[in-house]
Amino acid sequence: MPNTATPTHCPYCALQCGMNLTPAADGTVEVGERADFPVNRGALCGKGRTAPAVLASAARLTSPLVRSDGGELVPAGWDEALDRIAGNLARTRAERGADAVGVFGGGGLTNEKAYALGKFARVVLGTSQIDYNGRFCMSSAAAAGTKAFGLDRGLPFPLEDIPKTGCVILVGSNPAETMPPSLRYFTELRENGGTLVVVDPRRTRTAEQADLHLAPRPGTDLALALGMLHLVVAEGRVDERYVEERTAGWEEARAAAMAHWPEYVERITGVSVPELREAVRLFCAPEAAMVLTARGPEQQAKGTDTVGAWINLCLATGRAGRPLSGYGCLTGQGNGQGGREHGQKADQLPGYRRLTDPAARLHVAGVWGVDPDALPGPGRSAYELLDALGTDVRALLLMGSNPVVSAPRAAHVEERIRSLDFLAVCDVVLSETAALADVVLPVTQWAEETGTTTNLEGRVLLRRRAVTPPDGVRGDLEVLHGLADRLGVEKGFPTGPEEVFEELRRASAGGPADYSGIDYRRLGEENGVFWPCPAPGEDAPPHPGTPRLFLDRFATGDGRARFAAVAHRPSAEEPDEAYPVLLTTGRVLAQYQSGAQTRRVAELNAAAPGPFVELHPRLAARLGAAEGDPLAVVSRRGRAVAPARITTGIRPDTVFMPFHWPGEGRANTLTNPALDPTSRMPEFKVCAVRVEVAR
C-alpha cells in the first residue's frame, strides 16, 4: 500500500471515531488525528490509538485451522476448510432439517457483512435460526423506541445537539470509560450552562462530572423513572398541550405513574425524595432536555418497560420531537445500529423491515430473486439460540462474536457450544469461542477492508481499506461467497463490498431504515449520511439525509408517540439469605467487549490487566476482606474469583465486575439469562450473589 494517510474509522465503539492511518516503513501502522470528522473532532481514546496493534500478524490468525483426528486445531488450506464447513452444514440440513443449522453474527460486522450473512442464512441455508450479539446490547431500547415512536434509531438527533440542550439525564451509562471522546459533549453542556444528571449505582468517572448523581439499587431504574413522572404530574409540570396534540395513551400511563409516590420509590431505589425532586427540577427547568440510556436500564428482564418509562418522562414534559430535546440510546458496539437494521436479527429483514410483514417479504425476496414463501419465519433470539445448541441446533456458523465470554450464564453456553456436532468460526484472533471450533477461518479486519458502518447517531459511514491483509487471510464476504457456491448458490454473493452495498440500498428502499439514497461516493465526500435517506425521484436533487427525526410527526400510523403504561416489578432474581448481595457488570476504559482483541494489546493490558470485584468498605469489613484479596463471587449459576477493589463509589449492597476476561474471573459465569418478554434481552445488570474471601 502507498505510504499515505487513509481517512477511516476506529473499529471499536459506536462513536466510530474518525482517524487517519499511515503504513510505516517498518510494517507498523501510525494513527493520526482526523479533525474534520465531526463526531470526535480528532480526539481518540487509548483503544483507538492502539487499534493497529491487532493488525500485526503475530497477534492474529493467518491460516485456516481444522480439528484433526487427534483433537487439535491444525493449519489447513482454504479449500479444505471451506469444503469441510459446507459439507457439514449440508449434511446437518439434509439429516435434521434446515433449522438444525444456526448462524450467529456480531454487532461489529459492517453493514455489508450483516446484510450478506442474513441473506446467506435465509437463502442458502434456509434456516430461521439466526441472531447476533447485538441482542445483548441495545435491544430493549430498540423495542421501547419502536413502541413509542414507531422507529428505532439510537439517537434521533446528532451528538452536536447535546451541548446545546438545557439538561441531560444519563441513565446507566459511563461514557468517560466506554466512549471517552463523547465526554466532551457533556463537558460542553455544563460549560454552556446546562446540567447533567447521572443515574448509576456506582460513582463512575462520568458520575463525578455530574451536577447530580442518583445511585439507585440495581434493577430499580423503572421505579425511579415512574417516581419522577409522578412528581412531574403532582407539581403541575406536564406539557398538556403537547400531550394532547402529539401523543396517545397518556391517561393509562399517568395512572400507572401515580401509583409510584416518592416515598414508595425511595424505599425501592434508595434514592431520597429530595434527590428525586431535584432531578425533576433540573430536567424541567430549561426549555429543552434529553434522556439518554445505555446498558444499565436496558440489560434487564424488564428493560423494555424501563426504557418506556424514561420515554414517558420525555413525552409528558414535551421533550421529544422538538429541537434539542428527546430520548436517545447510546449504542455500544461499533456497528450496533447498522447491525440490527439489515437482517442478521432473528425477526428482521434489510431496511429494518419485519420478517412477518408480507409486503416486506415480497420486496426483499424480489431483490434476492427468490420466492417470498421460501423465506423462513422468525427464529430464536440470541440467548435462546445459544441455549438450543447441541439439541435442536446441531451445527453453527459464527462470525464476529465470542459468546463463551460475552453471553450470560456463560459456563452453560460454553457447554452447549461444546455439544455441537459442528462449529465454524470466522474471526481475526483465536478467541475463546474459536478455540472450541471444528474449523476456524482467519478473516480481514477493519483497516484491511472497505465497508460501511452506522454509528450511534444513525450516521452511515465509509470505512476505507488502509493496509494490505497478511497472506492467508480473506474477507467475510469471500467466505460467504465460497460457502454459497459450494452449497449450490452460485450467484447473489459478490465479494466486493460496494457491490453488496448497492444491493443493500435496493433491499432497504422504502423501509424504515432506508439507505437507497446513499452511495459510496456520497459517504466519502460528506463525512457520512444520516438515514433515512431515500433515493430521489427522477430529476430531483439528492435527499440530504435526516439528522433529526420526529420534528414534524412520529413514525406511527397517526403520527403520535405512544406512552407506555408500565409499573415497577422486582428483578428476576432478588437477594435472599443464601445470596444477599447484588452483582452488576460493565466495562472498563482500557478493554472492549469480550476483550478478544484488546487483551492482545500490551498497552491496554498494562492499564487493565485483569478482572476485579469492586465493593464498598462496609461490605469489605463484614467479609474481612482487604484490598487485593481474592474474592469469590457465587451465584446460582457458578463461581468467579477476582481481586478485591475497595471503594466508597459503589453502594454497600452491590458489587461490580467487568466482563472482559475469560477463565476464573469470568463475570458472565454469574449473570442471569432471564429474558425481557419483548426484546429478549438477558438480565446482565442485576443478579443475586454471595461474596466471600477465597481462602
Side-chain angles (χ1 to χ4, degrees):
M1 298 291 290
N3 188 25
T4 56
T6 300
T8 189
H9 296 274
C10 178
Y12 292 120
C13 81
L15 287 179
Q16 287 297 279
C17 291
M19 58 170 60
N20 288 319
L21 296 183
T22 305
D26 62 359
T28 61
V29 180
E30 297 175 356
V31 176
E33 290 188 2
R34 186 179 163 193
D36 68 309
F37 186 63
V39 172
N40 61 309
R41 290 175 270 171
L44 292 170
C45 72
K47 293 189 289 291
R49 284 189 296 99
T50 61
V54 188
L55 296 170
S57 59
R60 36 101 59 97
L61 298 168
T62 56
S63 170
L65 303 174
V66 300
R67 188 74 59 183
S68 70
D69 292 340
E72 302 295 321
L73 283 173
V74 297
W78 270 95
D79 283 340
E80 178 186 353
L82 290 172
D83 287 347
R84 189 176 294 200
I85 295 172
N88 278 278
L89 297 182
R91 185 178 307 110
T92 302
R93 186 177 58 180
E95 294 176 354
R96 298 181 178 272
D99 279 356
V101 179
V103 176
F104 200 87
L109 300 180
T110 62
N111 291 318
E112 292 82 359
K113 294 179 186 180
Y115 172 84
L117 188 63
K119 181 182 178 182
F120 178 84
R122 296 181 173 104
V123 172
V124 178
L125 299 177
T127 182
S128 68
Q129 300 303 301
I130 174 172
D131 211 83
Y132 81 125
N133 63 15
R135 180 79 70 169
F136 299 156
C137 186
M138 75 304 286
S139 59
S140 293
T146 301
K147 282 185 174 183
F149 307 128
L151 181 68
D152 156 51
R153 195 180 83 186
L155 292 182
F157 41 75
L159 284 162
E160 67 185 44
D161 284 1
I162 290 174
K164 303 171 188 175
T165 192
C167 176
V168 172
I169 299 180
L170 195 57
V171 189
S173 177
N174 182 18
E177 297 197 59
T178 58
M179 45 180 64
S182 72
L183 192 63
R184 67 168 57 185
Y185 292 101
F186 302 101
T187 301
E188 291 170 5
L189 164 74
R190 299 185 69 214
E191 291 172 350
N192 292 340
T195 54
L196 177 63
V197 178
V198 171
V199 178
D200 199 303
R202 303 168 61 225
R203 188 163 182 80
T204 63
R205 298 185 190 187
T206 305
E208 290 173 354
Q209 309 298 315
D211 297 279
L212 177 64
H213 173 213
L214 307 180
R217 183 175 179 266
T220 64
D221 307 273
L222 175 54
L224 182 69
L226 289 165
M228 290 181 65
L229 184 55
H230 179 111
L231 286 172
V232 165
V233 176
E235 295 175 0
R237 299 180 184 271
V238 176
D239 188 333
E240 301 285 357
R241 182 175 178 181
Y242 174 93
V243 169
E244 174 67 25
E245 293 179 351
R246 299 204 60 187
T247 72
W250 169 233
E251 294 302 324
E252 296 82 358
R254 179 174 62 183
M258 296 315 288
H260 297 76
W261 60 95
E263 292 76 13
Y264 171 59
V265 170
E266 179 181 86
R267 290 198 300 273
I268 294 171
T269 65
V271 176
S272 70
V273 173
E275 288 176 312
L276 278 174
R277 293 189 184 278
E278 178 64 3
V280 170
R281 185 191 71 80
L282 292 174
F283 185 67
C284 293
E287 288 187 11
M290 300 173 179
V291 172
L292 305 177
T293 67
R295 307 301 80 76
E298 298 163 17
Q299 287 182 328
Q300 298 183 29
K302 53 181 181 291
T304 302
D305 286 356
T306 301
V307 174
W310 288 105
I311 292 174
N312 285 352
L313 185 66
C314 293
L315 295 177
T317 55
R319 308 301 177 85
R322 283 180 168 172
L324 306 181
S325 286
Y327 162 77
C329 159
L330 297 177
T331 301
Q333 293 191 77
N335 196 31
Q337 181 68 52
R340 66 185 187 262
E341 295 168 1
H342 297 300
Q344 64 173 334
K345 194 162 172 276
D347 55 355
Q348 286 178 353
L349 288 170
Y352 225 146
R353 287 181 159 92
R354 289 182 294 111
L355 188 53
T356 54
D357 178 0
R361 295 169 66 89
L362 182 65
H363 174 84
V364 174
V367 174
W368 289 351
V370 299
D371 183 345
D373 292 337
L375 297 177
R380 294 174 171 88
S381 70
Y383 179 77
E384 292 166 304
L385 174 55
L386 295 172
D387 190 43
L389 299 182
T391 53
D392 295 335
V393 178
R394 305 302 293 262
L396 183 70
L397 173 64
L398 185 146
M399 278 190 173
S401 186
N402 188 18
V404 166
V405 178
S406 64
R409 197 185 173 196
H412 171 73
V413 169
E414 180 177 346
E415 177 185 300
R416 299 320 311 148
I417 289 173
R418 289 180 181 275
S419 72
L420 282 164
D421 295 339
F422 180 79
L423 172 64
V425 173
C426 302
D427 210 331
V428 173
V429 298
L430 191 67
S431 70
E432 286 72 24
T433 304
L436 304 180
D438 297 286
V439 179
V440 184
L441 299 180
V443 291
T444 53
Q445 52 180 313
W446 62 292
E448 299 164 349
E449 58 188 11
T450 295
T452 63
T453 61
T454 307
N455 81 344
L456 76 172
E457 309 164 294
R459 188 193 301 257
V460 185
L461 304 167
L462 182 63
R463 274 194 201 159
R464 297 172 175 88
R465 173 172 163 161
V467 298
T468 303
D471 291 339
V473 173
R474 295 184 184 179
D476 292 287
L477 296 178
E478 294 178 89
V479 170
L480 294 175
H481 173 86
L483 291 176
D485 185 59
R486 286 166 169 79
L487 290 166
V489 180
E490 298 177 358
K491 296 182 179 180
F493 291 88
T495 59
E498 188 168 7
E499 187 176 351
V500 176
F501 189 79
E502 288 300 305
E503 183 178 303
L504 182 157
R505 292 175 62 197
R506 298 195 302 275
S508 73
D514 190 336
Y515 284 33
S516 60
I518 305 173
D519 58 32
Y520 272 31
R521 179 195 59 77
R522 285 193 66 181
L523 294 178
E525 294 175 355
E526 300 179 28
N527 261 333
V529 179
F530 290 87
W531 71 261
C533 182
E538 188 174 351
D539 298 326
H543 190 284
T546 314
R548 295 170 182 86
L549 297 171
F550 313 138
L551 295 180
D552 299 317
R553 68 190 309 275
F554 295 98
T556 55
D558 58 8
R560 292 173 174 267
R562 302 293 193 267
F563 280 95
V566 295
H568 172 72
R569 59 184 184 273
S571 298
E573 189 176 78
E574 292 286 338
D576 56 21
E577 186 175 346
Y579 301 94
V581 177
L582 290 167
L583 168 71
T584 193
T585 63
R587 291 183 275 174
V588 297
L589 175 61
Q591 300 289 352
Y592 180 73
Q593 302 298 78
S594 74
Q597 295 184 46
T598 52
R599 285 187 275 112
R600 287 165 168 79
V601 179
E603 181 179 329
L604 300 179
N605 278 334
F612 56 87
V613 180
E614 187 176 279
L615 72 166
H616 193 276
R618 278 164 36 196
L619 178 56
R622 288 204 302 273
L623 297 172
E627 181 77 13
D629 280 353
L631 294 182
V633 183
V634 184
S635 77
R636 289 177 173 85
R637 289 153 296 281
R639 178 178 188 266
V641 178
R645 183 175 294 183
I646 301 171
T647 174
T648 57
I650 191 169
R651 292 174 55 95
D653 59 1
T654 301
V655 295
F656 166 83
M657 290 187 71
F659 62 82
H660 309 289
W661 288 274
E664 188 179 48
R666 182 174 59 185
N668 277 320
T669 297
L670 309 168
T671 48
N672 191 352
L675 300 181
D676 180 288
T678 302
S679 68
R680 315 309 287 169
M681 168 74 83
E683 191 152 68
F684 286 100
K685 285 299 181 186
V686 53
C687 69
V689 298
R690 68 173 182 268
V691 185
E692 53 206 23
V693 177
R695 301 297 183 188

